[in-house]
DNA sequence: TGACTGACAAAAAATAAAATTTGTCATTTG
DNA sequence: CAAATGACAAATTTTATTTTTTGTCAGTCA
């Protein structure tokens, strides 16, 4: 990842950060390493991000947007889905995506887990986005509720075990799919009934 | 905590372990410290527990039994409760107990969190016990289900955010009670309907 | 003139050396 | 002889020391 053009951009820096984390792992990646990958002085990076924390947060935000939110937005928009089934498809996708990246992109998933742990703001924005999608699906799907947003948030929290990174080690269990089905069966009734 | 009688017992050792953890914290407590508190050589402790890990597991098991399982067993037995309300009271108690000890017995809660993290066996036994209670409540309460134990487990997992130690930092939020209510409202329907 | 460099102090992390803790066991004690 | 001790090696942790990294900024360069 050498910078090709002559002006260094945030995008290039974030791309180099991802590459370096994939190569060395989260714990061993320094701003200096990222600068080396770009063949610039580390001072240049501080022109674009005011701290290491901010750089890693930006990288995580982009990773979440691209790998999680974008595919979820597709499911949200999907007009072939409707009502409770739409909510199910959405949460199922969320759960599968988290599980997929926990396995297949371990280093960046570790970045996401660590940053989540340290930046309440970022994670609350991420959750806000998902709750927004769910609220939208519920309203469009004719799932009447006095407080659609609260119901949406409840669905998210009731399935936390299956998408919160603190539970990632439990996702290796062969029973995990059956457990999700059983939790879903419970929730589904609550969505069908007007709460 | 000096040993009063002349034979050292497991119970004395566990009591001294708790005391020492409360005094020095989980990270700073060594087997040597526990032995000092009992005024015996640390070798004596190894006559009763074959490793530090086993000692801490035993202490955690006892703590869980006394602080969590025993009060839950009371709620389970409570004949003034019935059906969905009984399940609610049980889970509510579980949630409140965990929250209570996370605040009021920080050091031992940290022990429980750490041991949970490292001993899948202990935690699975603990969960098994709770799921057993819930299954019992559901069967006695006329909550028909094709798979009562699976339903019981689903209730437990759907409320994980409110009792799993990995989420303890979220329990400080002033919204936590409202969030639990909303999740419960969702679940309740699923319990009323035969799944 | 605005993007970048490179030198710098302060903070943090890695390494090395010293001290403690863990776990065993032959010996002692009551 | 059952229970506990204390001496011991190996493993781990702590502390001290060195090195790297972070973050700033005056100065360079195109």
């Amino acid at each position: 990842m050498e910078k090709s053009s002559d002006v260094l951009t945030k995008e290039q820096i974030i791309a180099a950060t991802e590459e370096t984390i994939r190569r060395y792992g989260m714990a061993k990646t320094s701003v200096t390493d990222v600068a080396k990958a770009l063949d610039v002085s580390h001072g240049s990076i501080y022109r674009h991000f005011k701290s290491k924390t901010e750089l890693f947060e930006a990288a995580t935000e982009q990773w979440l947007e691209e790998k999680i939110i974008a595919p979820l937005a597709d499911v949200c928009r999907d007009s072939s889905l409707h009502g409770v089934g739409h909510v199910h498809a959405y949460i199922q996708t969320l759960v599968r995506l988290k599980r997929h990246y926990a396995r297949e992109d371990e280093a960046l998933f570790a970045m996401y887990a660590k940053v989540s742990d340290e930046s309440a703001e970022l994670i609350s924005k991420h959750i806000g986005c998902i709750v927004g999608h769910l609220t939208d699906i519920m309203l469009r799907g004719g799932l009447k509720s006095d407080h659609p947003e609260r119901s949406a948030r409840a669905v998210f929290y009731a399935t936390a075990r299956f998408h919160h990174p603190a539970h990632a080690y439990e996702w290796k269990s062969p029973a995990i799919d059956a457990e999700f089905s059983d939790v879903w069966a419970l929730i589904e009734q609550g969505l069908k009934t007007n709460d």
Side-chain angles (χ1 to χ4, degrees), chain A residues 88 91 95 154-163 175-191:
Chain A
H88 180 246
I91 294 287
V95 165
V155 170
F156 181 77
Y157 287 147
T159 52
R161 183 174 123 92
F162 306 97
H163 51 68
I176 197 74
D177 276 314
E179 286 164 3
F180 177 73
S181 290
D182 289 343
V183 167
W184 187 258
L186 208 57
I187 288 173
E188 201 158 41
Q189 300 305 322
L191 283 175

Side-chain angles (χ1 to χ4, degrees), chain A residues 8 13 31 34-35 38 40-49 55:
Chain A
L8 187 60
I13 297 170
V31 175
V34 176
L38 286 160
V40 298
S41 74
H42 78 275
S44 308
I45 288 176
Y46 284 93
R47 170 168 299 283
H48 296 273
F49 298 97
L55 168 59

Side-chain angles (χ1 to χ4, degrees), chain A residues 28-165:
Chain A
K28 289 287 173 195
T29 295
S30 68
V31 175
T32 304
D33 291 331
V34 176
K36 265 183 227 151
L38 286 160
D39 202 29
V40 298
S41 74
H42 78 275
S44 308
I45 288 176
Y46 284 93
R47 170 168 299 283
H48 296 273
F49 298 97
K50 66 169 178 287
S51 67
K52 185 185 185 182
T53 300
E54 200 182 75
L55 168 59
F56 279 74
E57 279 176 9
T60 302
E61 213 165 343
Q62 168 163 321
W63 184 86
L64 278 174
E65 173 54 37
E66 181 187 331
K67 308 292 189 186
I68 309 292
I69 297 300
L72 285 177
D74 288 346
V75 177
C76 182
R77 260 185 252 106
D78 190 334
S79 57
S80 74
L81 292 162
H82 191 259
V84 173
H86 200 173
V87 180
H88 180 246
Y90 186 92
I91 294 287
Q92 180 88 265
T93 304
L94 171 61
V95 165
R96 295 237 166 98
L97 284 169
K98 290 282 177 80
R99 231 150 82 188
H100 173 80
Y101 288 109
R103 284 173 157 226
E104 306 298 328
D105 201 2
E106 233 178 298
L108 291 202
F109 190 86
M111 168 186 80
Y112 152 62
K114 184 163 191 288
V115 171
S116 292
D117 227 48
E118 289 160 6
S119 167
E121 214 209 316
L122 184 139
I123 198 63
S124 121
K125 206 176 136 197
H126 176 63
I127 294 177
C129 180
I130 291 173
V131 170
H133 282 163
L134 284 169
T135 306
D136 190 29
I137 291 172
M138 288 173 60
L139 289 172
R140 275 160 43 217
L143 293 165
K144 285 193 240 115
S145 163
D146 294 338
H147 303 283
E149 208 225 274
R150 277 172 53 186
S151 302
R153 198 170 281 273
V155 170
F156 181 77
Y157 287 147
T159 52
R161 183 174 123 92
F162 306 97
H163 51 68
H164 191 296

